[in-house]
Amino acid sequence: MTQILVFGDSISYGAWDLEGGWVQRLRKYLDKQNLTTNSYYIIYNLGVNGDTTNNLLERFELETNQRLAENEETIFIFAIGANDSLFLKSKNDFWVKKNDFNKNLEKLITSAKSLSKKIIFIGLTPVDESKVNPLQWDKDKSNNNKHVKEYDSIIKSICNQDKVHFIQLYDEFTKQDYRSILEDGVHPNSKGHEMISKIVKEYLKENKIIP
């Protein structure tokens, strides 16, 4: 059996998707594969609304240890960083500073590498700037695509450096009218989650991580 642990934030959790989010859509694909092939994959959605890399580091070891089992392969997927890139007016700084973000990603990779050879990071998605300065649900926080791209670049750079998989989403979103697939300026709607699921699934299949 192979288990996939997906750690992330509200987008991983599946906010605003009527089908449960891109992780749930990936699970449906794997469930079908389990029933029609000799493979057996289970996927855990460990996305938590509002999480930053600081929050994820606090829970990573506990949540992972609860799911590890002898003679099972574990695959880690991280989809984190959108909240880190938010700018807080009260702090006059990012929610998680870039240097700290960099260090947090390194810690996550180091911890994951001690348990698995298959580690994947999902890149960030663009925002609709007209709706996120400030955020509708938290006037202290704001964001823009310049900041999103900076944090996305940090993720990509560390993945290249540490030789772990990186799945680019930002460029794929900006090839189309991405604002139309964002429910509230940040979270994808059902069409957006379907798009993420397809990109992630195809990458994992092409790299022989899933059947």
Side-chain angles (χ1 to χ4, degrees):
M1 183 178 77
T2 300
Q3 57 181 8
I4 303 174
L5 308 187
V6 183
F7 286 95
D9 48 32
S10 55
I11 296 178
S12 303
Y13 164 76
W16 310 136
D17 181 15
L18 299 178
E19 297 295 325
W22 69 264
V23 179
Q24 178 64 21
R25 291 169 182 267
L26 183 60
R27 176 186 167 177
K28 287 182 178 179
Y29 166 78
L30 290 171
D31 285 347
K32 184 176 181 180
Q33 292 297 110
N34 292 340
L35 293 172
T36 57
T37 68
N38 292 324
S39 61
Y40 184 29
Y41 287 74
I42 60 173
I43 185 166
Y44 293 98
N45 187 341
L46 301 171
V48 174
N49 293 348
D51 257 15
T52 65
T53 51
N54 287 338
N55 304 125
L56 180 48
L57 279 170
E58 291 176 356
R59 66 185 177 90
F60 175 75
E61 183 177 352
L62 177 62
E63 296 226 37
T64 298
N65 287 341
Q66 294 298 315
R67 293 166 176 84
L68 292 180
E70 190 175 355
N71 299 322
E72 288 181 6
E73 180 184 38
T74 300
I75 298 169
F76 290 102
I77 297 179
F78 295 102
I80 196 77
N83 291 316
D84 298 67
S85 71
L86 292 171
F87 196 86
L88 276 62
K89 183 178 180 181
S90 59
K91 291 176 57 178
N92 193 34
D93 207 343
F94 295 104
W95 197 350
V96 177
K97 296 180 180 181
K98 294 174 187 175
N99 284 342
D100 293 332
F101 182 61
N102 197 311
K103 292 176 184 177
N104 288 348
L105 293 176
E106 289 283 12
K107 290 177 182 176
L108 285 171
I109 291 173
T110 298
S111 296
K113 276 189 172 182
S114 69
L115 300 167
S116 175
K117 294 181 180 180
K118 295 180 180 178
I119 301 166
I120 302 99
F121 275 79
I122 309 295
L124 306 182
T125 51
V127 298
D128 182 347
E129 295 181 348
S130 68
K131 296 181 179 180
V132 296
N133 288 304
L135 298 181
Q136 301 172 43
W137 55 92
D138 189 339
K139 301 302 181 183
D140 186 46
K141 299 182 178 72
S142 63
N143 209 348
N144 61 52
N145 285 321
K146 178 177 180 291
H147 296 158
V148 173
K149 289 181 72 175
E150 289 171 350
Y151 277 69
D152 190 57
S153 294
I154 292 172
I155 301 170
K156 183 177 181 179
S157 177
I158 289 178
C159 287
N160 288 336
Q161 170 189 306
D162 290 350
K163 295 180 173 55
V164 300
H165 295 276
F166 175 78
I167 302 178
Q168 176 70 254
L169 292 183
Y170 193 97
D171 292 347
E172 294 303 315
F173 266 64
T174 55
K175 288 177 181 177
Q176 60 179 291
D177 178 19
Y178 65 86
R179 295 174 185 84
S180 68
I181 56 175
L182 298 177
E183 188 66 36
D184 52 16
V186 175
H187 302 93
N189 57 21
S190 293
K191 184 177 178 180
H193 277 281
E194 181 180 8
M195 178 179 169
I196 295 173
S197 179
K198 181 178 179 180
I199 292 171
V200 173
K201 180 183 71 177
E202 292 307 313
Y203 181 95
L204 296 179
K205 289 175 63 179
E206 287 173 8
N207 286 273
K208 302 187 185 307
I209 296 171
I210 63 173

